[in-house]
Amino acid sequence: MTQRNIYSIAVAAFAFMGGATAPFTPVQSTTLKPLQLAQSTPTIAAIENSVHQQINQLRSSQSLPPLTRNSAIDNQARIHSQNMASGKVPFNHTGFSQRIQATRISYSSAAENIARNSGYSDPATQAVQGWRFSSGHFQNIRGNYNLTGIGVARNNKGEYFFTQIFIRSR
């Protein structure tokens, strides 16, 4: 049985508030032990929907309102995940402000979480749990946002790349 790990779940989370940047430095790096190896490959849409559902469950447990998915934000999150999966861009937040501007949504604040993992039967849960136990990422999940977009991509090595963008629209 091959053991797989979550990679760089706690790299960094950035928030943009009123046009200014405020970097969050995670307190810890999270490596979770695999629950079980992937038996079948879930669809990308199912993974994205699962992330959205789990994030809203976390927000509900914190007495926060749910986030509404937005197709323009989804599109920017997907492009970033696809670019990371293909190696076109590194696994990081470079280009975040351009992704937010490309949504054409008037906003007062925005943030982004990214994750990468492989070898799990439920990659969405692994990503969300990694964010849950990283203070900077969890701060974004609990933030005063009302819109979200989620993009997932899988590369030819079987690695899943996740991008979740949070926006507070004006």
Side-chain angles (χ1 to χ4, degrees), residues 114-132:
I114 62 174
R116 174 177 66 186
N117 68 49
S118 65
Y120 296 97
S121 62
D122 187 354
T125 296
Q126 293 302 316
V128 172
Q129 288 301 305
W131 291 334
R132 168 65 184 94

Side-chain angles (χ1 to χ4, degrees), residues 4-7 34 37 116-120 123 157-160:
R4 307 290 171 114
N5 293 315
I6 292 180
Y7 302 97
L37 294 175
R116 174 177 66 186
N117 68 49
S118 65
Y120 296 97
K157 297 179 199 173
E159 296 172 303
Y160 288 93

Side-chain angles (χ1 to χ4, degrees), residues 139-158:
Q139 183 174 353
N140 289 343
I141 291 168
R142 292 186 322 244
N144 185 23
Y145 305 109
N146 60 332
L147 300 175
T148 194
I150 300 158
V152 176
R154 185 175 184 260
N155 68 14
N156 59 6
K157 297 179 199 173

Side-chain angles (χ1 to χ4, degrees), residues 29-147:
S29 179
T30 304
T31 301
L32 300 176
K33 295 191 189 296
L35 298 176
Q36 62 185 167
L37 294 175
Q39 302 292 320
S40 64
T41 305
T43 68
I44 295 299
I47 294 169
E48 290 172 351
N49 289 334
S50 179
V51 169
H52 183 237
Q53 179 183 7
Q54 290 180 58
I55 293 297
N56 277 340
Q57 287 172 346
L58 278 172
R59 286 178 61 86
S60 177
S61 74
Q62 302 286 307
S63 299
L64 296 168
L67 298 169
T68 301
R69 279 186 75 180
N70 175 282
S71 61
I73 307 170
D74 278 345
N75 186 52
Q76 290 305 309
R78 281 189 195 111
I79 290 168
H80 187 54
S81 289
Q82 289 165 354
N83 286 342
M84 289 188 297
S86 70
K88 185 175 180 179
V89 300
F91 177 69
N92 66 30
H93 297 282
T94 301
F96 174 62
S97 60
Q98 291 85 358
R99 285 189 287 285
I100 298 305
Q101 294 302 318
T103 67
R104 305 191 121 179
I105 295 171
S106 178
Y107 70 98
S108 58
S109 62
E112 175 178 78
N113 285 349
I114 62 174
R116 174 177 66 186
N117 68 49
S118 65
Y120 296 97
S121 62
D122 187 354
T125 296
Q126 293 302 316
V128 172
Q129 288 301 305
W131 291 334
R132 168 65 184 94
F133 294 107
S134 164
S135 62
H137 294 98
F138 195 50
Q139 183 174 353
N140 289 343
I141 291 168
R142 292 186 322 244
N144 185 23
Y145 305 109
N146 60 332
L147 300 175

